[in-house]
Amino acid sequence: MKKLSFILSICFLLSIILSGCGGNTMTKQASSSGGKNEYEPVTIRLAYNLPQDHHISIGIENFAKKVTEKSGGKVKIQVYPAGQLLSDKEMNQAILTGGVEMGVNSSTLWSSVVPAMGIFDVPYAFSNYEKAGKALSGEMREKLNQAMEEKGAKVLMYADYGYAQFANNVRPLKSPADFKGLKIRSIGEIPSEMIKAYGASPVFFGAGEVYTALQRKTIDGATSGTTAMLQRHYDEVAKYLTINNYAYLEFILAMNKNFWDRLPENTKNLLSETAKETEQWIRAQAKSEDERTAKALKEKGMQIEAISEAELSEWKKAAEPARAAYIKQAGDLGKELLDSIEHLQ
């Protein structure tokens, strides 16, 4: 009995020791697993030029805040809004050279780096908001992203700005023929080709200069989204607003590719997932913001000419030189993208 008691005691002690060892192993495994989820400290500068109350700006600010919060403060995004750090003309080069880690700029300006990015300026390529969303969720997105990475920029987000329209202070623009002889502020090469095809002269001004140019009658009109027109008080210097939804404008959140490649995998995942969430939120705002701001401009006294679907055929036909100019600039990739959009269901 004494021997049996002794043996049982030894077994009991061994079970405690083995249990303790197992527990330590599990603790170490848990600790190791937790370590993998730790974020390495990093500070990322993010610059953009839009007004801070624009729906894209609100989305970008929330993106930066969420990334910092989700990482427990380890991945810090310092935001420089409304052109505080870089102008829109300086932005792309700064991103490509690493002068800034991350920035937001229009697809129109990125088309000087990747000509195919001008797809969003091709007149009447995107007939509605839903079609634009589908196009940006498939093959077109992948091809544009690849072309951008080859130039040194990692695309994290396509931020829907909304449709581009025309404002002027001379006469209602009810058909392309009404453009004849006008000087219209353009936003890029493809829209300029359309403006010329309509019989007007494209003029380039910075967004912040348009109000004064209209006021002094240096130009007769301008193209932009109604969100910007309201924020920049076009209603005070332009009487007529034409809603023809000719271009679906995008802003790109891009990061320096070399900087991106050096980030840990969990930080990349954090940035990508948060950007995806933000992109969907911004896309949901685009339509309602277009409608809200067009209504507000009307209430402020602008005379609105809304082009019907039946009337658009004339506008589309007259704009064909702009489409041809895009294909010439963007080559085979541009033609592929246009074909893929046309075949979207």
Side-chain angles (χ1 to χ4, degrees), residues 313-343:
S313 58
E314 179 187 2
W315 294 72
K316 291 177 182 178
K317 185 176 181 180
E320 285 179 1
R323 180 188 177 91
Y326 171 72
I327 294 174
K328 183 178 180 180
Q329 290 177 14
D332 291 341
L333 177 55
K335 191 172 186 307
E336 285 176 23
L337 296 182
L338 282 174
D339 290 343
S340 68
I341 294 169
E342 289 175 357
H343 289 92

Side-chain angles (χ1 to χ4, degrees), residues 43-48 78 80 84-87 90-104 110 152-153 254-260 262:
T43 298
I44 302 170
R45 293 169 299 165
L46 191 167
Y48 69 85
Q78 293 180 347
Y80 297 87
Q84 288 181 6
L85 186 63
L86 294 162
S87 71
E90 299 167 331
M91 185 71 70
N92 293 351
Q93 189 65 17
I95 293 171
L96 294 174
T97 59
V100 68
E101 291 77 40
M102 188 184 292
V104 181
W110 273 113
M255 176 176 273
N256 175 270
K257 182 66 165 51
N258 290 331
F259 186 86
W260 168 265
R262 295 195 302 270

Side-chain angles (χ1 to χ4, degrees), residues 126-157:
F126 300 94
S127 56
N128 54 58
Y129 298 88
E130 291 72 26
K131 192 170 185 177
K134 285 182 181 179
L136 283 166
S137 301
E139 185 180 10
M140 185 182 83
R141 184 193 193 99
E142 293 173 6
K143 289 182 177 181
L144 287 174
N145 286 1
Q146 182 179 348
M148 288 282 281
E149 289 189 22
E150 288 172 0
K151 295 294 184 179
K154 167 70 179 178
V155 175
L156 289 175
M157 185 194 309

